[in-house]
Structure formats: C-alpha cells, structure tokens
Amino acid sequence: MPNIFKYYSLTDFLKVIHEDRSYTLKRLSESVGITPQGVGVVFNGNERMVINHLNGWKRAFNFKRLESAYFELLAILAAYASLTERNRLRERAFDLVLKLIEAEIADPAPNEMIYWISPECTILRNMIDFHDFPSEEETIPKWAGNRLTQFRILRGHSQKEFEYRLRKAWNWLVQWEIVAFSENRRRWEKMEPVLLSPGKINAETRNFHSSILKLSHSDFHMDFARQLGTSAILANKVATFSMPTVLFEPTCKIIDALVTRYVKNLNRATNVNEMERVKAADPEKYMELQEFLKEAERLCGDLPQFTDDQFDHLVQVVVGFRKISD
C-alpha cells in the first residue's frame, strides 16, 4: 500500500494505485460500493467524484485514522472547485488540518498542506510584526485571540476553542522553524519557510498551489466584491484588456512577484528602525531598498516614515484575472 503522506494531490496518489495490479477495478468497486465503470471514471481524470463515496474509498484502502484524515483532505481539494456548497467542506478541511497539526507528522506533504491552508498559521506568522506581539509564548494565543474577535466570530469558534487552535498552530510554527525568537531583538521573527517553495515545484506538485487556492481563498474574492466601496478595501482596480492567450501565465507570475515585492519592500524601506538594521547588517540590501524607495516615490510622491511600534494591522491582498471571451 503506497504511503498516502507522500502525495500532494489525489491525482498522484490514485495514479500509483491504478498502476498497482493488486487493486483491480472489481476489487475496488466492491469496497467502494460503486460499479467497476464508476471506478474507471475516477481513474480517468474524475478524481473530484471520490468525495461522493468518501467512506467507501477509505474502506477500500483500509486507512488508519490519520491516513484517512489526509486522504479526505486531498479529496476535498480535488472536488472543491466543482462544488456549489463549499462552506461545510471548507470548515471540514480546516478541522482536518488541525488534526494533522496535533499529530506532528514528519512527512513533508501534510506539513506543506498545513503551511498553505491553516488560517491560524498564516495569521500568527504575520502578526509577529505587530509592535506589541508578546515575547512570552504562553501569552500569545490569548493575545492573538483578543485581537482577532471578528475573525473568530466569522469562523464560529468560542474563545476557548479559538485559543486552542492558535496555541496548536503556534507550536507547529515554532517546531518547523517558520518563526524563531531573536535574542538580539528580544522579539519573535518570521523565518523563510523551509517547506514548499517555487524552486521545489515539480511534476508531482504542479497543481498543488491551484488546489490550495480553490480551497482557502476562492470565497475571499466574493467577500472582496461585497466590500467594495467600504473602508475595508484599501484599493481596487477593475479594468478590461485584450491580450493573447500565451501571455496569461507570464502576466500572473509578474503580478504575483510585483505585489509581493512592493508590499515587502515598502514595509522595510519606510521603516526607520528596519533600515538602520539593514544598513549595519547588509549594506548591499540597504542600497537596493534605497533605490526601491526612489522608484516608489516617483509613483506616489513622498512616503511617510514610521517605526517598529507602528505595525498594527493585517492586510489581505486579493488579485484575480478572469476570461470574458472564448
């Protein structure tokens, strides 16, 4: 039996199963409770249908508890884009991710799923920049829970449950060295993630990012649209362009890189304290940030200066493209 924890997608796992002659269509159909033809349809590019007979597929592979949870998460990712009612499955996926956090699985694939899906992990990692982020670990879940009241209510969690989730997520971030405490600054700092990065994406993980996007971010576009015109939206631009199909992918990559570069560099280049640190530790980077600042000021004029103690908001960026002609 292949190790389910080694796979990033249901497609890759089922491909190996299909090539294993011990799993015949007849044997699988008897365990799943569908026809051999139905099993064949799943193997021929319709992995999203596994969610309709989830318990049967789990039974067919005789999964243990955590294996079953990870298989279910992969099935949700495979089916999510084609479903009309997503709220229940999205929350179920978040609960499965919490189970994987609690289990402390050593295999890379589940932990990369956690890093990209878990709302608590993402939020906690970025809240480190808040000027009053606690240095004492035991106080972090309560502090964060008190700052995220609206988010907690939207998720439907009690204060106790939410703090439990935050505590587990924080311990996981520390364990995987995605955050670390700086003795020099006496503060927690974000580290470069050692998990999945663009440089590690290969044929096995080609659909990984798109699957995660469909799960954890697709409905944010609707939330974004509903809030247009309110103070919750920092900026928006709607435009229509003509372009050749061959430029779709390069355009997406360029926009993604520019958004990341501008937000990250703008935070650094206009922070007086950060620029002092960079000037002392990395003169070359300091000069790079100075040039970036000049470029940014050419676009929008003089920019305000601030200090470490003025970080106080989390911002979510939504960038999307859609085709309106065929």
Side-chain angles (χ1 to χ4, degrees):
M1 174 65 185
N3 181 359
I4 184 68
F5 293 134
K6 300 296 183 184
Y7 299 91
Y8 295 96
S9 72
L10 190 62
T11 301
D12 291 331
F13 175 73
L14 291 181
K15 180 182 178 182
V16 174
I17 292 294
H18 193 34
E19 293 170 351
D20 186 340
R21 296 190 178 184
S22 64
Y23 289 98
T24 64
L25 295 183
K26 183 176 183 298
R27 175 185 169 187
L28 286 171
S29 70
E30 291 172 351
S31 297
V32 177
I34 59 178
T35 65
Q37 291 80 3
V39 175
V41 168
V42 168
F43 282 133
N44 287 319
N46 287 280
E47 295 85 0
R48 66 184 184 278
M49 297 176 65
V50 167
I51 199 74
N52 298 329
H53 301 276
L54 187 60
N55 289 333
W57 284 98
K58 289 180 179 179
R59 184 167 57 247
F61 299 128
N62 196 29
F63 286 131
K64 297 178 182 177
R65 184 176 64 88
L66 288 176
E67 293 171 335
S68 177
Y70 188 60
F71 178 83
E72 183 175 349
L73 181 60
L74 295 184
I76 290 174
L77 289 174
Y80 195 75
S82 63
L83 300 175
T84 54
E85 176 50 56
R86 299 173 178 173
N87 290 342
R88 182 186 64 81
L89 276 184
R90 185 173 64 251
E91 292 305 316
R92 174 59 177 165
F94 290 151
D95 287 341
L96 292 169
V97 166
L98 180 62
K99 287 184 178 181
L100 296 171
I101 287 176
E102 293 170 328
E104 299 182 359
I105 296 172
D107 291 280
N111 288 302
E112 285 156 6
M113 291 287 185
I114 290 168
Y115 179 72
W116 290 105
I117 294 178
S118 168
E120 292 82 13
C121 286
T122 302
I123 288 173
L124 281 173
R125 181 175 184 265
N126 285 286
M127 289 186 87
I128 282 176
D129 288 331
F130 280 31
H131 69 91
D132 56 345
F133 191 86
S135 57
E136 299 296 329
E137 284 192 87
E138 62 270 16
T139 66
I140 291 173
K142 188 172 186 62
W143 175 88
N146 289 336
R147 297 293 294 266
L148 297 165
T149 303
Q150 291 184 2
F151 178 81
R152 176 181 64 78
I153 293 172
L154 285 170
R155 292 289 308 281
H157 298 316
S158 67
Q159 184 73 20
K160 182 177 181 181
E161 179 186 6
F162 189 46
E163 288 183 15
Y164 173 83
R165 286 173 171 266
L166 290 169
R167 184 177 302 107
K168 289 295 182 179
W170 177 259
N171 291 340
W172 184 89
L173 289 170
V174 173
Q175 175 188 343
W176 283 89
E177 298 180 348
I178 295 172
V179 299
F181 190 75
S182 169
E183 293 294 342
N184 291 333
R185 297 184 63 198
R186 302 303 302 168
R187 288 184 58 88
W188 289 93
E189 294 183 334
K190 294 183 288 188
M191 310 300 289
E192 287 298 323
V194 296
L195 301 174
L196 191 68
S197 64
K200 291 173 59 181
I201 293 178
N202 52 34
E204 184 184 34
T205 59
R206 62 191 179 280
N207 295 321
F208 181 78
H209 277 160
S210 61
S211 296
I212 298 302
L213 178 67
K214 291 168 187 172
L215 171 69
S216 59
H217 299 300
S218 61
D219 295 324
F220 292 170
H221 285 81
M222 292 303 298
D223 293 339
F224 183 91
R226 283 192 291 266
Q227 294 180 74
L228 285 173
T230 73
S231 59
I233 303 299
L234 298 182
N236 73 87
K237 181 175 179 61
V238 178
T240 304
F241 303 98
S242 294
M243 66 186 303
T245 302
V246 292
L247 287 184
F248 285 172
E249 185 175 350
T251 299
C252 291
K253 289 181 178 179
I254 290 169
I255 295 297
D256 180 65
L258 285 177
V259 169
T260 302
R261 173 176 175 256
Y262 263 88
V263 174
K264 180 184 286 187
N265 285 351
L266 196 60
N267 269 340
R268 301 188 74 184
T270 52
N271 182 346
V272 175
N273 300 137
E274 174 66 5
M275 288 297 278
E276 289 175 354
R277 288 190 290 269
V278 175
K279 186 176 183 180
D282 190 345
E284 185 175 339
K285 184 65 178 179
Y286 177 79
M287 294 302 298
E288 180 185 324
L289 289 172
Q290 289 279 45
E291 288 301 313
F292 169 83
L293 192 57
K294 292 178 183 178
E295 177 188 343
E297 289 183 333
R298 281 196 294 270
L299 290 173
C300 54
D302 292 340
L303 291 167
Q305 301 285 299
F306 62 93
T307 55
D308 285 342
D309 61 1
Q310 290 176 279
F311 280 86
D312 56 356
H313 278 85
L314 287 180
V315 174
Q316 193 168 64
V317 178
V318 179
V319 178
F321 295 90
R322 68 169 179 167
K323 290 189 291 184
I324 60 173
S325 66
D326 295 316

